[in-house]
Amino acid sequence: MYSSLKVLFSYIGKYKWPIFLGVILSILGSLMVVIGPQYLKRISDEIFDGIGGEMDMDAILFLACIVLTLYLLSVVFNTIESYIIPSTSQRVANKMRRDLNAKINRLPLNYYDNSSTGDIMSRLTNDADTVGEQCGASFSMLATALSMIIGCSAMMLYTNLTLGLICIIPPFAGFLLMRFIMHRTHGFYVAQSVNLGKMNGLVEEVYYGHTVVSAYGAEEECKGRFSDINEDLYRTAYKTRFFTSMMPQITGFVSNLGYVLTCIVGSMLVIEGEITYGVIVAIIVYVRLLNSPLLQLADALGGMQSLAASSERIFDLLLAPEMDDESSKECPDVPVRGDVEFRDVNFSYIEGIEIIHHFSLQVKAGQKIAIVGPTGAGKTTVVNLLMRFYEVDSGSILIDGIPTKDMPREKVHSMFSMVLQDPWVFDGTVKENLIFNGADVPDERIIEACKAVGLHDLIMSLPKGYDTELNANTGLSAGQKQQLTIARAMILNAPMVIFDEATSSVDTHTEKKIQKAMEDLTQGRTSFLIAHRLSTIRDCDLILVMKKGCIVETGTHEELLAKGGFYSELYSSQFENCN
Ligand SMILES: Nc1ncnc2c1ncn2[C@@H]1O[C@H](COP(=O)(O)OP(=O)(O)OP(=O)(O)O)[C@@H](O)[C@H]1O
Ligand SMILES: [Mg+2]
C-alpha cells in the first residue's frame, strides 16, 4: 500500500502543497476544538464556586468569549480546508484522466489485445473517481482524526492523570475492536467487489449477446447463473452492511461507558478533594470528542486502502511501455507515388508464435493487389503491418523507397484510405460519420460518395437525412455500415487504398454498385483488396494467395487459373457453390 501511495505522491507534484496546507488546516481546526474544554472546565468551576455565593459574571463571560473564538476559528480553518482538499483532489483526478487519455494514444495496439476494454474503461472512470474522492480527503481525515485523538488524550491526561487514564481505556479498546472486526471482514468487502464485477460481466455479456441467448434458448441457464451470482452478492453485501453499521454502535457504546466511568471515578475523586467539578465536565467533553475521530480513523484507513488500490491500477496503465517517440522523425512533404515493398517480413502478435513468415512483395505505384486465402491465413495481419498498427519482428516495409519505420506513424496512416473488416460507426450524425476527422469536405463530395456506394437514397429517407443521429448499435444494417465506411474511405481520398473484406455483408446488387465505386476509387492508386469472393478481384494486377502466413502463389487471375494450384482450387470451389 505504501509504495503505491509513494508513487502517487511523486506523481501529484505541485498539488502536494495545497494538500499539505489542507492537512495543516485540519490539524489547526482540531487543536482549537481540543483546547476548548480547558476553558469549559474553568467556566464550570467559576459557576460551581459561585453557587450559593457571588457569581463572577465578568470572568465567566470572558472565558465564554475565548471558547466561542476557539470554536469559530475551528470552523474557519475547517471551511478553508473543505474547499482546498476536494478541489485539489479533483484537479489531481482531472490530470490523471488527461494523462490516461493521452497514454491510451501512445500505447501499442498489442496492449489492447491483452486487456479487456471494460477494464481499461474502469481505470479511466472508477479508479480515477476514487482518486478524486480519496486523494486528499483521506489524508486530511487521517490528520484530523489523529490530531483529535492525540490532542484529546493528551489533554485528558493533562487535566487529570488518574481520571484521564481510566477514561481513555474504553475508546482505545473500542478502536482495537473495530480494527479487529475490519480486519476480519476485509474478505467480505473484497468478495462484494468481486461479485459486483461478476454481476456486471454477466449482465454485459447477456445484454450484448441477447439475440444469441434467445436463439439458443439459453434464458433459463442465464437466469440460473444470474441467481447464483445475485445470491452471493446478497450474502456478502448484507454482511458488509452489518459490520459497517456495527462501527458507530461500538464507538457509541464506548463513549457511554466513558461517561459512566467519568461520573463514578470523578465523583469519588471530587469527594476526596483531588479534583474540582470542572475537571469532570472537561473529561466528559473529551470523551464525547474522542467518539467521532475513532470512526474517522477507521474510515481514513479504509479510504487509503482503496486509494492505494486504485492508484496501483492507474499507474499500471500509465507506466505501461509505449510506442517509440517519433517526434524526431521527419518525412519529406512530397506527394506519395505509391510504390510499396515488403522485404522479408516476419511478424508475431505473441512472442514465439510467428504468424507471417518471410513475406516479400513488390508493388508498383497504381497497381491493384488482391490478397486471398483461407480464414486465419494472415491477410488482415499483412495490411495491419502495412499501416504500421504493429511493428514487424524483422524485415522492412517501404513506401516510395522509404522504410515506414523511419516515418512518423501518423504519416503512414494518412497515406491510406482504409475500410476495415469490422465497420465502425460511432455516436454522431451520418455526416459526422462520413467525414470522420476530416475538415471542410464539401457536401457535394459526400453525396457523390454515398451515391457511388448506393447509400444516398437510404440516407435521404432517414428523418433528418445526413443530419440523422446514428449510434454504434442501431440505425444501420451490417451491410449499410459497410457501405458507409466505404463512402468514408472515398471521401478521405488518400493516395493509397486498403479494403478488407469490404463487401462481405452486402447483397449482390449492392456489391456490383460498390465494386464500380471501388474501381473508380482505386483507379491510379496503389490498392490492396482482401476478398473471399474471388469474383470481385478478377481484374487485379496481382493476386497473392496466402496460406498460414506465407505467400503460396502469385500472379494474375488467368495465370493462377492456368497454374491449376491452390487458387484455382479455391476459385472452382466457389464456382461450384454458385452453381
Ligand atoms: N490481435 C491478435 N493477437 C493474437 N493473434 C492474432 C491477432 N489477430 C489475429 N491473430 C491471429 O493471426 C492469424 C491471422 O489472422 P488474420 O486476422 O490476419 O487472418 P485473416 O487472413 O485476415 O482471416 P479472415 O479471412 O478470417 O479475416 C490468426 O491465426 C489469428 O488467430
Ligand atoms: Mg481478416
Side-chain angles (χ1 to χ4, degrees), residues 375-376 378-381 421 500-501 530 532:
T375 288
K379 305 179 293 292
T380 301
T381 308
Q421 202 165 2
D500 192 351
E501 302 280 6
I530 298 178
H532 275 148

Side-chain angles (χ1 to χ4, degrees), residues 8 33 61 68 74 86 94 102 123 155 185 218 222 266 278 285 348 350 368 382 385 395 427 507 512 553:
L8 177 67
V33 175
L61 275 178
L68 190 66
S74 147
N94 182 302
R123 289 174 206 234
M155 285 314 227
T185 53
C222 288
V285 177
S348 41
I350 300 160
K368 228 169 27 164
V382 167
L385 293 175
D427 290 3
D507 60 79
K512 285 218 174 80
E553 281 173 20

Side-chain angles (χ1 to χ4, degrees), residues 309-462:
S310 285
S311 3
E312 203 173 301
R313 279 168 57 76
I314 287 176
F315 288 113
D316 188 47
L317 179 60
L318 278 182
L319 302 176
E322 298 181 5
M323 296 187 284
D324 304 335
D325 177 27
E326 302 198 303
S327 48
S328 60
K329 289 185 186 169
E330 278 177 25
C331 202
D333 203 15
V334 289
V336 179
R337 266 198 327 275
D339 292 329
V340 175
E341 185 181 351
F342 283 75
R343 266 191 210 159
D344 195 26
V345 169
N346 292 296
F347 172 73
S348 41
Y349 286 107
I350 300 160
E351 222 179 302
I353 309 176
E354 200 174 86
I355 297 286
I356 300 294
H357 323 280
H358 304 291
F359 191 96
S360 291
L361 171 71
Q362 263 191 329
V363 181
K364 289 203 193 72
Q367 275 190 326
K368 228 169 27 164
I369 310 298
I371 309 178
V372 301
T375 288
K379 305 179 293 292
T380 301
T381 308
V382 167
V383 296
N384 280 343
L385 293 175
L386 179 58
M387 287 290 276
R388 247 192 100 196
F389 288 149
Y390 296 85
E391 304 292 339
V392 296
D393 294 352
S394 64
S396 56
I397 300 171
L398 300 94
I399 295 176
D400 290 347
I402 305 169
T404 51
K405 68 170 187 295
D406 294 343
M407 308 176 191
R409 231 172 251 106
E410 296 74 40
K411 173 81 185 168
V412 182
H413 299 168
S414 72
M415 291 177 182
F416 294 92
S417 285
M418 190 179 195
V419 178
L420 295 168
Q421 202 165 2
D422 310 312
W424 179 62
V425 174
F426 57 88
D427 290 3
T429 63
V430 174
K431 192 166 158 184
E432 282 164 352
N433 263 289
L434 284 165
I435 57 171
F436 178 59
N437 203 27
D440 301 329
V441 182
D443 283 356
E444 298 78 62
R445 208 163 102 211
I446 299 176
I447 294 172
E448 197 186 325
C450 290
K451 277 186 178 160
V453 297
L455 201 61
H456 178 71
D457 292 340
L458 173 92
I459 296 174
M460 290 318 284
S461 70
L462 295 173

Side-chain angles (χ1 to χ4, degrees), residues 468-483:
T468 310
E469 290 282 334
L470 294 179
N471 82 38
N473 302 320
T474 57
L476 295 179
S477 73
Q480 287 161 349
K481 279 186 201 165
Q482 266 185 348
Q483 284 170 285

